[in-house]
């Protein structure tokens, strides 16, 4: 069955010609409407994750459900095909269950709001947004348990529900949902902010339709999709080869002592169509690192990656989707069988970008980048403060962007370009902790002609008893360098007790008991380097040393010797570069820091943590480890 869209006005929308000036005006107005959605959200949400960091993703679609502006692609068609009910003017829908929206959202903390936009009795657009809620119940504060084995342990599951019916809020349903979360005030505020954001988009769409006429407005949206199709067709012809090309990368472990897990993808082109086949990707994990990867979402990832690389002026939308075919094996770690746990899917989600970079870069090495900060590591801290009031902190960490063909990778950046860091003053004002360290980690970026960006060290001094959770990756495998560049430094987490006792923490852990005065050292990883570091301008290396981005000892990775005053020792530098150059193979395309077997053999000595055990699956692709 499919949804029954009630449209009192049965006159069909007509496709008409639109002049280029009008088209550009509407295109820019839609982009502005998308930006206004973000502005409304951050001004009205309450949780730091959304209000301060912007962990929410808006989208505006045409009347057919195709995204014309946004970020994560459209999921409207899947919703309308699976929802068995009516859709009317004033209705608003809410869901968070990945298994009931075909992966449109990929774990329960992401609440997805969908709003049909009507004008004069006809559906002319859709607006949607999902935002990460700080808590949706479940077995741990923050609702991201590392050891969950089923989705039932991760929080309240909300099927697609009509939370507003003809403009009236279904308060009983919302109250029932909020009754199951630890921060109901935050959740309600964030929910209202998302609704307000989508309604803002609705007003802007109606205004444009009133200004230009319904047919011109909707035709312009169709032309925006056509523009994207034509541009992406040319990009696909240029960058996707007809011969098959494969690449694989890993997430280090599953939080349950097993790993690494392999993500493998093969890419090729048939005519104008790019095909991506994830055959060879490992079966699903027994814990919550599985990622329910919606095929449409992967198309969005591919489109965003290639457009930003080859022609950032193109307004990104869903117009090119028919040019991409995606196969993800059922029962794999990228499409697990229900009711597999999904709460820690962020590691695989981010690693998909490294896989795409490796696939596309093999054909155009000069245009590729190294592996970067392909994750959104989480730090969570909860308990009761001195006033016996519950507090719950959720923060996303930043790391090093890889070296690029055009220059060095930025230091301390987010995986998602729109995310911003939460000011330390805000965190200290609202939570019982003190930020004692917030700095780039010297030498953590991979050495190269273009240096990988450095990771970030944050030192959290905890001022109340409670517990913490940590979600991160790249503690075992390295963020690889390319074209002779070195890998970046791995991540690291340490708990320093108030009595001086030190303890290494795994990258994925929950229920870590902490006390007033304890210090958590949270190190993220650096980006891989680009190109032979021995070819880097010595003055650039000396400048990095002066800025604290590279140490005097680290400068020797570039073959640069500095004296006590930080000046380049020309003769010693020439000798060192000649010596290093005689043994260095600068033709290596991907520098991974060794094979998986070699890395695991060194793991305990290098990280202070035991190497994970290799997963062994039951028979069949969906058999868990």
């Amino acid at each position: 069955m499919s949804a029954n869209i009630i449209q009192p006005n049965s006159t069909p929308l007509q496709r008409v010609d639109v002049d280029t000036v009008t088209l550009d005006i509407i295109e820019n107005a839609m982009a502005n409407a998308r930006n206004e959605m973000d502005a409304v959200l951050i001004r009205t949400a309450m949780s730091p994750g959304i209000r301060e960091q912007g962990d929410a993703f808006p989208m505006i679609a045409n009347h057919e459900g195709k995204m014309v502006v946004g970020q994560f692609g459209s999921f409207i068609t899947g919703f309308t095909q699976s929802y068995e009910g009516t859709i009317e003017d004033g209705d608003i829908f809410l869901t968070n269950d990945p298994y009931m929206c075909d992966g449109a959202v990929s774990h329960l903390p992401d609440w997805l709001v969908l709003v049909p936009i009507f004008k004069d009795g006809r559906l002319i657009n859709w607006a949607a947004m999902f935002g990460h809620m700080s808590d949706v119940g479940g077995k741990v504060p923050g609702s991201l348990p590392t050891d969950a084995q089923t989705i039932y342990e991760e929080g309240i599951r909300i099927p697609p529900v009509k939370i507003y019916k003809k403009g009236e809020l279904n308060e009983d349903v919302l109250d029932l949902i909020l009754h199951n979360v630890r921060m109901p005030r935050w959740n309600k505020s964030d929910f209202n902010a998302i609704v307000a954001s989508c309604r803002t988009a609705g007003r802007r769409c109606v205004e444009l339709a009133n200004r230009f006429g319904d047919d011109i407005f909707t035709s312009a949206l169709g032309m925006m999709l056509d523009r994207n199709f034509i541009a992406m067709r040319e990009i696909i012809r240029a960058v996707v080869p007809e011969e098959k090309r494969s690449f694989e990368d890993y997430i280090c472990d599953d939080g349950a002592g097993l790993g690494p897990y392999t993500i493998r993808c093969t890419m090729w082109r048939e005519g104008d169509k790019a095909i991506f086949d994830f055959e060879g990707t490992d079966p699903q994990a027994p814990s919550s690192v599985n990622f329910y990867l919606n095929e449409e979402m992967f198309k969005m990832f591919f489109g965003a990656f290639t457009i930003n690389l080859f022609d950032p002026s193109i307004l990104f939308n869903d117009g090119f989707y028919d040019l991409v075919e995606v196969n993800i094996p059922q029962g794999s770690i990228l499409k697990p069988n229900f009711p597999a746990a999904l709460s820690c899917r962020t590691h695989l989600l981010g690693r998909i970008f490294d896989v795409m970079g490796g696939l596309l870069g093999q054909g155009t090495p000069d245009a590729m980048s190294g592996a970067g900060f392909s994750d959104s590591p989480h730090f969570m801290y909860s308990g009761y403060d001195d006033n016996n009031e519950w507090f719950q902190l959720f923060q996303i960490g930043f790391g090093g962007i890889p070296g690029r063909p055009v220059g060095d990778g930025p230091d301390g950046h987010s995986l998602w370009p729109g995310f911003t860091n939460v000011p330390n003053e805000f965190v200290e004002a609202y939570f019982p902790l003190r930020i004692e360290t917030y700095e780039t980690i010297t030498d953590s970026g991979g050495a190269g002609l273009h240096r990988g960006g450095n990771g970030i060290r944050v030192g959290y001094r905890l001022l109340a008893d409670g517990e913490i959770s940590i979600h991160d990756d790249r503690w075992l495998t390295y963020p690889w360098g390319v074209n002779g560049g070195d890998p970046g430094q791995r991540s690291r987490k340490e708990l320093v007790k108030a009595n001086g006792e030190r303890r290494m923490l795994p990258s994925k852990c929950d229920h870590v008991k902490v006390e007033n005065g304890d210090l958590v050292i949270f190190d993220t990883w650096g980006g891989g380097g680009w190109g032979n570091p021995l070819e880097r301008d010595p003055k650039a290396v000396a400048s990095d040393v002066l800025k604290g981005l590279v140490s005097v000892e680290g400068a020797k990775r570039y073959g640069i010797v500095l004296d006590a005053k930080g000046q380049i020792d020309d003769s010693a530098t020439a000798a060192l570069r000649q010596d290093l150059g005689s043994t260095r193979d600068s033709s290596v395309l991907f520098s991974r820091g060794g094979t998986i077997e070699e890395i695991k053999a060194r793991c305990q000595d290098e990280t202070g943590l035991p190497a994970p055990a290799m997963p062994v699956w039951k028979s069949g692709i969906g058999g868990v480890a």
Side-chain angles (χ1 to χ4, degrees), residues 160 223 229 251 288 444 516 525:
M223 293 174 68
F229 179 93
I251 60 166
S288 58
S444 57
N516 187 345
W525 72 79

Side-chain angles (χ1 to χ4, degrees), residues 191-265:
F191 166 74
N192 286 334
I194 293 173
V195 170
S197 174
C198 292
R199 283 175 165 167
T200 298
R203 287 194 295 272
R204 299 297 174 256
C205 290
V206 171
E207 288 169 0
L208 285 168
N210 281 329
R211 177 180 175 184
F212 294 102
D214 295 0
D215 290 338
I216 289 178
F217 172 63
T218 56
S219 296
L221 301 187
M223 293 174 68
M224 289 165 58
L225 295 166
D226 294 343
R227 278 182 169 182
N228 187 273
F229 179 93
I230 294 169
M232 278 297 298
R233 183 177 60 194
E234 297 305 311
I235 291 175
I236 287 172
R237 287 172 176 171
V239 304
V240 179
E242 292 183 326
E243 67 275 10
K244 292 185 178 181
R245 181 186 299 159
S246 298
F247 189 79
E248 64 182 36
D249 208 339
Y250 314 90
I251 60 166
C252 296
D253 72 308
D254 59 8
L258 301 178
Y261 287 80
T262 300
I263 311 103
R264 181 177 177 82
C265 186

